Amino acid sequence: MQTVELDTPYQILTPEGDLVGPIPDGLSDQQLVEWYRWMWQIRFFSNKTVALQRQGKATTWSPLVGQEATAIGMAAPLLPQDWIAGSYRDSGAYMVKGYPMSALFYYTRGYNAPPSIVGQDVKCLPYQIVIGTQMLHCVGLAMAAKIKGDDAVVVAGCGDGATSEGDVSEALNFAGVFKAPVVLVVVNNGWAISVPRSKQSAARNFALRGPGFGMPGRLVDGNDPLAVYAVIKDAADQARSGGGPTLVECLTYRLGAHTTADDPTRYRPQAEMDYWQPRDPAKRWGIFLKKRGLIDDVAEKEMIEGAEAFVNAQCDIAYNWPIPGPDGFFDHLYAELSPRLQRQRESFLQEYSAMTEGK
């Protein structure tokens, strides 16, 4: 069966920056310009982390370049009480939700971000490295919110490769059965490391799985922030009103490597890159803003320079922040350590001191 929702990606803005649909209600010109700033901040954050990894200062990193529009559209419609959790390549959405960039930079050093740098709780679970498990976590959060009667929606993000994990199917099944207030987002960037999307599923697209689990499926142009925002907002509104979950597939593309340990030229055809590079969401959005008269070349240059300066400042905060002590794994698990854990901590510190004495 052919359906518009499941076979034609929803689009409001073409790659040429022309509107082919209505701008979602409630979005001001100021917000549209602010999205452009976010695009560049997310991009500079990713590029900075790649550079830090090359210098031996950061851990292995998964670049975000090319997926900035999806990140904005996933988080911008959410309310303060809503939750978001995704994979390592969804950290741009965390920033838009309000998670401090400095805390994300701190995480790239190889340490969990302490509450002192995270600050106010903005309802973001730590992004997940284990493929697909965050989808179960998000459905659990949504089911808990429904049981408690909280007016909260949860957005879960995973990649196209994660859909081959059993965890994702289990999450879809639980969400459908219990009508959990969750929006499950498959960020389809074409590749799971070196495995193409065509080898992940024989279905025409991942959105088709939605009806099979008793929920709507939506296919959207993931490089069009207006379209992603509109679809996620509709799905969140439906979930909040008791209408249950939605599966959303965002068609986008990672313009960089899978990680800093990857060489995509070994498996990715150049013709594919030639197709996607003109569809870069930052280019598209900049053209749109200029056509609409919301920004000019001078303002754009100032914004981009300001975004880079902001990212550098956030990085300095994180890399000058104290690192945890050797007993840091005892912190932040409980409000107060039990007597047994206190004894374990003391024992550990004594052994650590004995091992390092004289070094």
Side-chain angles (χ1 to χ4, degrees), residues 268-289:
R268 194 163 62 182
Q270 184 58 43
E272 192 174 275
M273 286 291 291
D274 292 341
Y275 173 84
W276 281 101
Q277 282 177 333
R279 289 161 173 77
D280 180 334
K283 291 180 181 178
R284 179 188 301 199
W285 198 243
I287 293 170
F288 163 70
L289 293 178

PDB file of all heavy atoms in Angstrom, residues 268-289:
ATOM      1  N   ARG A 268      32.365   4.625   0.915  1.00  0.00           N
ATOM      2  CA  ARG A 268      31.268   5.501   0.484  1.00  0.00           C
ATOM      3  C   ARG A 268      31.546   6.074  -0.901  1.00  0.00           C
ATOM      4  O   ARG A 268      32.570   6.725  -1.111  1.00  0.00           O
ATOM      5  CB  ARG A 268      31.094   6.628   1.513  1.00  0.00           C
ATOM      6  CG  ARG A 268      29.804   7.384   1.370  1.00  0.00           C
ATOM      7  CD  ARG A 268      29.487   8.169   2.619  1.00  0.00           C
ATOM      8  NE  ARG A 268      30.478   9.181   2.938  1.00  0.00           N
ATOM      9  CZ  ARG A 268      30.441   9.968   4.021  1.00  0.00           C
ATOM     10  NH1 ARG A 268      29.464   9.812   4.892  1.00  0.00           N
ATOM     11  NH2 ARG A 268      31.367  10.869   4.242  1.00  0.00           N
ATOM     12  N   PRO A 269      30.647   5.875  -1.862  1.00  0.00           N
ATOM     13  CA  PRO A 269      30.885   6.371  -3.223  1.00  0.00           C
ATOM     14  C   PRO A 269      30.859   7.894  -3.291  1.00  0.00           C
ATOM     15  O   PRO A 269      30.048   8.549  -2.636  1.00  0.00           O
ATOM     16  CB  PRO A 269      29.736   5.761  -4.038  1.00  0.00           C
ATOM     17  CG  PRO A 269      28.674   5.454  -3.033  1.00  0.00           C
ATOM     18  CD  PRO A 269      29.378   5.124  -1.757  1.00  0.00           C
ATOM     19  N   GLN A 270      31.732   8.457  -4.104  1.00  0.00           N
ATOM     20  CA  GLN A 270      31.817   9.908  -4.236  1.00  0.00           C
ATOM     21  C   GLN A 270      30.526  10.481  -4.816  1.00  0.00           C
ATOM     22  O   GLN A 270      30.125  11.599  -4.478  1.00  0.00           O
ATOM     23  CB  GLN A 270      33.005  10.286  -5.128  1.00  0.00           C
ATOM     24  CG  GLN A 270      33.236  11.789  -5.259  1.00  0.00           C
ATOM     25  CD  GLN A 270      33.472  12.486  -3.926  1.00  0.00           C
ATOM     26  OE1 GLN A 270      34.205  11.963  -3.086  1.00  0.00           O
ATOM     27  NE2 GLN A 270      32.866  13.641  -3.728  1.00  0.00           N
ATOM     28  N   ALA A 271      29.872   9.717  -5.681  1.00  0.00           N
ATOM     29  CA  ALA A 271      28.619  10.205  -6.281  1.00  0.00           C
ATOM     30  C   ALA A 271      27.573  10.488  -5.216  1.00  0.00           C
ATOM     31  O   ALA A 271      26.772  11.424  -5.346  1.00  0.00           O
ATOM     32  CB  ALA A 271      28.086   9.186  -7.284  1.00  0.00           C
ATOM     33  N   GLU A 272      27.578   9.704  -4.150  1.00  0.00           N
ATOM     34  CA  GLU A 272      26.639   9.927  -3.060  1.00  0.00           C
ATOM     35  C   GLU A 272      26.943  11.226  -2.336  1.00  0.00           C
ATOM     36  O   GLU A 272      26.043  12.007  -2.006  1.00  0.00           O
ATOM     37  CB  GLU A 272      26.716   8.748  -2.091  1.00  0.00           C
ATOM     38  CG  GLU A 272      25.603   8.700  -1.070  1.00  0.00           C
ATOM     39  CD  GLU A 272      25.655   7.429  -0.244  1.00  0.00           C
ATOM     40  OE1 GLU A 272      25.102   6.400  -0.692  1.00  0.00           O
ATOM     41  OE2 GLU A 272      26.252   7.451   0.843  1.00  0.00           O
ATOM     42  N   MET A 273      28.223  11.483  -2.095  1.00  0.00           N
ATOM     43  CA  MET A 273      28.621  12.745  -1.472  1.00  0.00           C
ATOM     44  C   MET A 273      28.258  13.928  -2.365  1.00  0.00           C
ATOM     45  O   MET A 273      27.803  14.975  -1.890  1.00  0.00           O
ATOM     46  CB  MET A 273      30.121  12.745  -1.186  1.00  0.00           C
ATOM     47  CG  MET A 273      30.536  11.878  -0.012  1.00  0.00           C
ATOM     48  SD  MET A 273      29.950  12.549   1.566  1.00  0.00           S
ATOM     49  CE  MET A 273      30.950  14.022   1.695  1.00  0.00           C
ATOM     50  N   ASP A 274      28.446  13.770  -3.669  1.00  0.00           N
ATOM     51  CA  ASP A 274      28.124  14.844  -4.614  1.00  0.00           C
ATOM     52  C   ASP A 274      26.633  15.174  -4.577  1.00  0.00           C
ATOM     53  O   ASP A 274      26.235  16.327  -4.816  1.00  0.00           O
ATOM     54  CB  ASP A 274      28.531  14.430  -6.033  1.00  0.00           C
ATOM     55  CG  ASP A 274      30.047  14.323  -6.193  1.00  0.00           C
ATOM     56  OD1 ASP A 274      30.774  14.893  -5.361  1.00  0.00           O
ATOM     57  OD2 ASP A 274      30.483  13.652  -7.148  1.00  0.00           O
ATOM     58  N   TYR A 275      25.808  14.178  -4.301  1.00  0.00           N
ATOM     59  CA  TYR A 275      24.360  14.397  -4.206  1.00  0.00           C
ATOM     60  C   TYR A 275      24.000  15.144  -2.926  1.00  0.00           C
ATOM     61  O   TYR A 275      23.166  16.060  -2.942  1.00  0.00           O
ATOM     62  CB  TYR A 275      23.628  13.055  -4.264  1.00  0.00           C
ATOM     63  CG  TYR A 275      22.140  13.161  -4.014  1.00  0.00           C
ATOM     64  CD1 TYR A 275      21.260  13.483  -5.054  1.00  0.00           C
ATOM     65  CD2 TYR A 275      21.602  12.950  -2.740  1.00  0.00           C
ATOM     66  CE1 TYR A 275      19.893  13.590  -4.826  1.00  0.00           C
ATOM     67  CE2 TYR A 275      20.239  13.057  -2.507  1.00  0.00           C
ATOM     68  CZ  TYR A 275      19.392  13.376  -3.555  1.00  0.00           C
ATOM     69  OH  TYR A 275      18.050  13.493  -3.320  1.00  0.00           O
ATOM     70  N   TRP A 276      24.616  14.756  -1.793  1.00  0.00           N
ATOM     71  CA  TRP A 276      24.199  15.274  -0.497  1.00  0.00           C
ATOM     72  C   TRP A 276      24.846  16.606  -0.109  1.00  0.00           C
ATOM     73  O   TRP A 276      24.237  17.383   0.645  1.00  0.00           O
ATOM     74  CB  TRP A 276      24.469  14.237   0.590  1.00  0.00           C
ATOM     75  CG  TRP A 276      23.428  13.165   0.630  1.00  0.00           C
ATOM     76  CD1 TRP A 276      23.518  11.903   0.125  1.00  0.00           C
ATOM     77  CD2 TRP A 276      22.105  13.274   1.178  1.00  0.00           C
ATOM     78  NE1 TRP A 276      22.351  11.213   0.330  1.00  0.00           N
ATOM     79  CE2 TRP A 276      21.458  12.035   0.979  1.00  0.00           C
ATOM     80  CE3 TRP A 276      21.415  14.299   1.823  1.00  0.00           C
ATOM     81  CZ2 TRP A 276      20.161  11.789   1.403  1.00  0.00           C
ATOM     82  CZ3 TRP A 276      20.113  14.056   2.256  1.00  0.00           C
ATOM     83  CH2 TRP A 276      19.502  12.819   2.039  1.00  0.00           C
ATOM     84  N   GLN A 277      26.035  16.880  -0.579  1.00  0.00           N
ATOM     85  CA  GLN A 277      26.694  18.121  -0.159  1.00  0.00           C
ATOM     86  C   GLN A 277      25.880  19.372  -0.498  1.00  0.00           C
ATOM     87  O   GLN A 277      25.798  20.298   0.322  1.00  0.00           O
ATOM     88  CB  GLN A 277      28.098  18.194  -0.738  1.00  0.00           C
ATOM     89  CG  GLN A 277      29.092  17.321   0.028  1.00  0.00           C
ATOM     90  CD  GLN A 277      30.471  17.313  -0.574  1.00  0.00           C
ATOM     91  OE1 GLN A 277      30.652  17.509  -1.775  1.00  0.00           O
ATOM     92  NE2 GLN A 277      31.473  17.067   0.261  1.00  0.00           N
ATOM     93  N   PRO A 278      25.242  19.467  -1.676  1.00  0.00           N
ATOM     94  CA  PRO A 278      24.396  20.646  -1.936  1.00  0.00           C
ATOM     95  C   PRO A 278      23.156  20.709  -1.038  1.00  0.00           C
ATOM     96  O   PRO A 278      22.510  21.749  -0.959  1.00  0.00           O
ATOM     97  CB  PRO A 278      23.986  20.468  -3.409  1.00  0.00           C
ATOM     98  CG  PRO A 278      24.985  19.525  -3.986  1.00  0.00           C
ATOM     99  CD  PRO A 278      25.354  18.604  -2.867  1.00  0.00           C
ATOM    100  N   ARG A 279      22.835  19.608  -0.378  1.00  0.00           N
ATOM    101  CA  ARG A 279      21.677  19.554   0.521  1.00  0.00           C
ATOM    102  C   ARG A 279      22.065  19.794   1.984  1.00  0.00           C
ATOM    103  O   ARG A 279      21.273  19.540   2.882  1.00  0.00           O
ATOM    104  CB  ARG A 279      20.975  18.203   0.361  1.00  0.00           C
ATOM    105  CG  ARG A 279      20.252  18.076  -0.972  1.00  0.00           C
ATOM    106  CD  ARG A 279      19.941  16.642  -1.355  1.00  0.00           C
ATOM    107  NE  ARG A 279      19.103  16.593  -2.551  1.00  0.00           N
ATOM    108  CZ  ARG A 279      19.546  16.781  -3.785  1.00  0.00           C
ATOM    109  NH1 ARG A 279      20.836  17.017  -4.002  1.00  0.00           N
ATOM    110  NH2 ARG A 279      18.720  16.727  -4.817  1.00  0.00           N
ATOM    111  N   ASP A 280      23.273  20.275   2.183  1.00  0.00           N
ATOM    112  CA  ASP A 280      23.767  20.631   3.516  1.00  0.00           C
ATOM    113  C   ASP A 280      22.740  21.532   4.202  1.00  0.00           C
ATOM    114  O   ASP A 280      22.359  22.571   3.668  1.00  0.00           O
ATOM    115  CB  ASP A 280      25.101  21.374   3.349  1.00  0.00           C
ATOM    116  CG  ASP A 280      25.734  21.796   4.665  1.00  0.00           C
ATOM    117  OD1 ASP A 280      25.002  21.976   5.668  1.00  0.00           O
ATOM    118  OD2 ASP A 280      26.956  21.962   4.698  1.00  0.00           O
ATOM    119  N   PRO A 281      22.242  21.150   5.396  1.00  0.00           N
ATOM    120  CA  PRO A 281      21.191  21.946   6.045  1.00  0.00           C
ATOM    121  C   PRO A 281      21.610  23.368   6.387  1.00  0.00           C
ATOM    122  O   PRO A 281      20.781  24.273   6.352  1.00  0.00           O
ATOM    123  CB  PRO A 281      20.874  21.145   7.311  1.00  0.00           C
ATOM    124  CG  PRO A 281      22.056  20.273   7.533  1.00  0.00           C
ATOM    125  CD  PRO A 281      22.600  19.962   6.180  1.00  0.00           C
ATOM    126  N   ALA A 282      22.878  23.585   6.698  1.00  0.00           N
ATOM    127  CA  ALA A 282      23.330  24.938   7.022  1.00  0.00           C
ATOM    128  C   ALA A 282      23.273  25.833   5.779  1.00  0.00           C
ATOM    129  O   ALA A 282      22.857  26.999   5.853  1.00  0.00           O
ATOM    130  CB  ALA A 282      24.743  24.909   7.607  1.00  0.00           C
ATOM    131  N   LYS A 283      23.678  25.284   4.636  1.00  0.00           N
ATOM    132  CA  LYS A 283      23.595  26.051   3.386  1.00  0.00           C
ATOM    133  C   LYS A 283      22.140  26.381   3.062  1.00  0.00           C
ATOM    134  O   LYS A 283      21.804  27.516   2.709  1.00  0.00           O
ATOM    135  CB  LYS A 283      24.214  25.259   2.235  1.00  0.00           C
ATOM    136  CG  LYS A 283      25.721  25.085   2.318  1.00  0.00           C
ATOM    137  CD  LYS A 283      26.230  24.284   1.130  1.00  0.00           C
ATOM    138  CE  LYS A 283      27.740  24.081   1.203  1.00  0.00           C
ATOM    139  NZ  LYS A 283      28.242  23.264   0.068  1.00  0.00           N
ATOM    140  N   ARG A 284      21.288  25.395   3.175  1.00  0.00           N
ATOM    141  CA  ARG A 284      19.867  25.569   2.868  1.00  0.00           C
ATOM    142  C   ARG A 284      19.248  26.649   3.748  1.00  0.00           C
ATOM    143  O   ARG A 284      18.533  27.527   3.266  1.00  0.00           O
ATOM    144  CB  ARG A 284      19.120  24.244   3.060  1.00  0.00           C
ATOM    145  CG  ARG A 284      17.626  24.335   2.794  1.00  0.00           C
ATOM    146  CD  ARG A 284      16.878  23.068   3.178  1.00  0.00           C
ATOM    147  NE  ARG A 284      17.338  21.883   2.478  1.00  0.00           N
ATOM    148  CZ  ARG A 284      16.633  20.756   2.366  1.00  0.00           C
ATOM    149  NH1 ARG A 284      15.431  20.677   2.909  1.00  0.00           N
ATOM    150  NH2 ARG A 284      17.113  19.717   1.736  1.00  0.00           N
ATOM    151  N   TRP A 285      19.549  26.584   5.053  1.00  0.00           N
ATOM    152  CA  TRP A 285      18.929  27.511   5.986  1.00  0.00           C
ATOM    153  C   TRP A 285      19.458  28.927   5.784  1.00  0.00           C
ATOM    154  O   TRP A 285      18.696  29.898   5.888  1.00  0.00           O
ATOM    155  CB  TRP A 285      19.170  27.045   7.423  1.00  0.00           C
ATOM    156  CG  TRP A 285      18.254  27.664   8.415  1.00  0.00           C
ATOM    157  CD1 TRP A 285      18.598  28.475   9.455  1.00  0.00           C
ATOM    158  CD2 TRP A 285      16.826  27.546   8.465  1.00  0.00           C
ATOM    159  NE1 TRP A 285      17.491  28.852  10.166  1.00  0.00           N
ATOM    160  CE2 TRP A 285      16.383  28.295   9.580  1.00  0.00           C
ATOM    161  CE3 TRP A 285      15.886  26.880   7.687  1.00  0.00           C
ATOM    162  CZ2 TRP A 285      15.042  28.401   9.918  1.00  0.00           C
ATOM    163  CZ3 TRP A 285      14.548  26.981   8.032  1.00  0.00           C
ATOM    164  CH2 TRP A 285      14.136  27.729   9.140  1.00  0.00           C
ATOM    165  N   GLY A 286      20.743  29.059   5.498  1.00  0.00           N
ATOM    166  CA  GLY A 286      21.302  30.381   5.234  1.00  0.00           C
ATOM    167  C   GLY A 286      20.673  31.030   4.014  1.00  0.00           C
ATOM    168  O   GLY A 286      20.350  32.225   4.016  1.00  0.00           O
ATOM    169  N   ILE A 287      20.483  30.259   2.949  1.00  0.00           N
ATOM    170  CA  ILE A 287      19.843  30.776   1.730  1.00  0.00           C
ATOM    171  C   ILE A 287      18.413  31.220   2.036  1.00  0.00           C
ATOM    172  O   ILE A 287      17.969  32.297   1.599  1.00  0.00           O
ATOM    173  CB  ILE A 287      19.861  29.704   0.624  1.00  0.00           C
ATOM    174  CG1 ILE A 287      21.292  29.424   0.165  1.00  0.00           C
ATOM    175  CG2 ILE A 287      18.996  30.135  -0.567  1.00  0.00           C
ATOM    176  CD1 ILE A 287      21.418  28.215  -0.757  1.00  0.00           C
ATOM    177  N   PHE A 288      17.698  30.395   2.803  1.00  0.00           N
ATOM    178  CA  PHE A 288      16.316  30.727   3.155  1.00  0.00           C
ATOM    179  C   PHE A 288      16.237  32.039   3.931  1.00  0.00           C
ATOM    180  O   PHE A 288      15.402  32.910   3.630  1.00  0.00           O
ATOM    181  CB  PHE A 288      15.715  29.585   3.971  1.00  0.00           C
ATOM    182  CG  PHE A 288      14.465  29.953   4.722  1.00  0.00           C
ATOM    183  CD1 PHE A 288      13.278  30.206   4.050  1.00  0.00           C
ATOM    184  CD2 PHE A 288      14.473  30.041   6.104  1.00  0.00           C
ATOM    185  CE1 PHE A 288      12.117  30.539   4.746  1.00  0.00           C
ATOM    186  CE2 PHE A 288      13.329  30.375   6.811  1.00  0.00           C
ATOM    187  CZ  PHE A 288      12.147  30.627   6.133  1.00  0.00           C
ATOM    188  N   LEU A 289      17.088  32.201   4.932  1.00  0.00           N
ATOM    189  CA  LEU A 289      17.055  33.418   5.751  1.00  0.00           C
ATOM    190  C   LEU A 289      17.368  34.650   4.920  1.00  0.00           C
ATOM    191  O   LEU A 289      16.765  35.723   5.122  1.00  0.00           O
ATOM    192  CB  LEU A 289      18.047  33.299   6.907  1.00  0.00           C
ATOM    193  CG  LEU A 289      17.731  32.251   7.983  1.00  0.00           C
ATOM    194  CD1 LEU A 289      18.841  32.231   9.032  1.00  0.00           C
ATOM    195  CD2 LEU A 289      16.382  32.511   8.641  1.00  0.00           C
TER     196      LEU A 289
END
